[in-house]
Amino acid sequence: YLHVRLIKMKTRKCKLLVIGAGPGGYVAAIRSAQLGMDTVIVEGERAGGTCLIRGCIPSKAMIHAAHKFHDLAKHAKKGGHMGISIPGPAELEMAALKGWKDDIVDRLNKGVEHLLKSSGAELITGWAEFKDAKTVVVGDTQIEAENVILANGSVPIELPFLKYGDGVISSREALNIDEKLDHLVVVGGGYIGLELGITHKMLGADVTIVEAMDSVLPIFDKELRRPLELFMKKNKIKVNTGVFAKGVEKLENGRLKLNFIDKDNADDESKMQSVEADRVLVTVGRRPRSEGLAPTGVALDERGFVKVNNQCQTNMKGVYAIGDVADLGEMLAHVASFQGEMVAEIIAGHNRAYDPVAVKKVDIAMRVRKYFWRQAWLFNIIWFVCYGILLFVMRPGQQTMPDMIWQG
């Protein structure tokens, strides 16, 4: 006998369907539910998105711990530091450090889930497969919505000659290392790579930076770069600028050898240089997570971002895109949150439009900074610049949905 198992598909209809529970998606879902709309939000992994689960928050936790470890080393030296001495060097257990970081992430993840539930939004865990612009299938449930917000987020860019795996890692894996590294090579001298590189340097690893441009943080003014460059020089972080990474080889001892060459001699193989490492961290940017959107009919630009107008509307009526997946605004968590709140209010009938000048950054940065005041040169520099500029554009006492979430 031939037994055929039929899976009965459940149907769930709603006013608003949000795809992705990151800083843009969960803020949009919370706000829409607060406005009385029947809201469903679908998340393939864990509520919180890149920022909370595998980006900003865990990296700041690692930075905080790295500074603690680095400071203890000063007190262990002969004569101590600030009149404080400890009898011997501090010991580092990377698995325990990772566990501490994971506990922080777990608590915040549960906090986001609680916010969604208490607002009235329904969180469904699973990967959404689009059938058309307003219909998705998640497991055995088909969801049909009147409006859809695409908050798919972004993923690290993978270089064709430096594929992830076998010791070549992205920022995601870099935050889950549970063993102390002897040497870390970072390909890409942007703020993500430098932040993680400096963290591992303070945890005791040798660190080498490989950057194709003529300086690290190439999009920042030299006056901002200078303190960071001095810090890296003082702490013996090797920086190679104006060079192209050319590939990686696995050595017999289990380590990796990264080959790179000066960009002015890129065609001369005899000029090839190399460096050995335990891990090669590739941080050359992020790309929108827009694969799988073909059934929706939304228009993409040449880089894969969803095209939107100043209300985050796509070319498909009732379909919106926010945050990293959209071609509007910077790929930053607070921008996604601002857009999520805005779109929820637009769907509810409010008159809103995106203006980058109105994106409030100061209060969120201040709340994070209370916990990590002495951490990360780069974070400090950017915070002071943003604070100085935004004092002139923000109205005193102005409060948005992201502020309320940060306040709990």
Side-chain angles (χ1 to χ4, degrees), residues 34 65 95 162 199 254 272 314 377 384:
Q34 289 174 339
L162 282 175
T199 297
M272 190 72 71
T314 70
W377 277 84
F384 277 117

Side-chain angles (χ1 to χ4, degrees), residues 309-350:
N309 62 15
N310 67 349
Q311 291 188 315
C312 291
Q313 296 170 330
T314 70
N315 59 305
M316 301 297 289
K317 185 177 180 180
V319 180
Y320 303 79
I322 63 173
D324 288 4
V325 78
D327 70 345
L328 181 67
E330 304 129 311
M331 297 174 79
L332 297 170
H334 57 269
V335 172
S337 296
F338 183 93
Q339 292 175 348
E341 176 194 9
M342 177 193 78
V343 171
E345 294 185 354
I346 288 172
I347 294 171
H350 298 196

Side-chain angles (χ1 to χ4, degrees), residues 17 19 128-136 148-150 152 290-300 306 314-321:
L17 169 63
I19 304 297
E129 179 185 352
F130 277 97
K131 296 301 180 182
D132 57 45
K134 296 181 180 179
T135 305
V136 302
V148 173
I149 297 178
L150 303 174
N152 306 40
S290 54
E291 58 270 21
L293 294 182
T296 68
V298 298
L300 308 179
V306 179
T314 70
N315 59 305
M316 301 297 289
K317 185 177 180 180
V319 180
Y320 303 79

Side-chain angles (χ1 to χ4, degrees), residues 31-77:
R31 185 61 179 141
S32 64
Q34 289 174 339
L35 291 169
M37 292 183 280
D38 182 17
T39 304
V40 174
I41 180 168
V42 176
E43 169 57 43
E45 297 186 69
R46 302 175 69 194
T50 294
C51 179
L52 193 153
I53 304 297
R54 51 193 171 271
C56 320
I57 300 302
S59 70
K60 298 306 177 291
M62 294 286 286
I63 290 167
H64 180 73
H67 274 271
K68 289 284 188 184
F69 182 73
H70 185 72
D71 288 344
L72 286 172
K74 299 177 185 177
H75 298 295
K77 291 180 180 178

Side-chain angles (χ1 to χ4, degrees), residues 12 29-30 32-34 37-40 113-123:
R12 171 73 161 88
I30 291 169
S32 64
Q34 289 174 339
M37 292 183 280
D38 182 17
T39 304
V40 174
E113 291 179 349
H114 174 74
L115 286 170
L116 288 166
K117 183 178 180 179
S118 62
S119 70
E122 180 183 354
L123 172 63

Side-chain angles (χ1 to χ4, degrees), residues 13 71 73 107 122 144 146 164 199 227 255 264 284 290 312 323 339 355 364 394 398:
K13 296 186 178 182
D71 288 344
R107 290 198 299 271
E122 180 183 354
E144 301 170 1
E146 296 178 33
Y164 293 131
T199 297
R255 305 187 85 200
D264 295 328
V284 293
S290 54
C312 291
Q339 292 175 348
D355 183 348
I364 293 176
M394 297 308 304
Q398 184 179 3

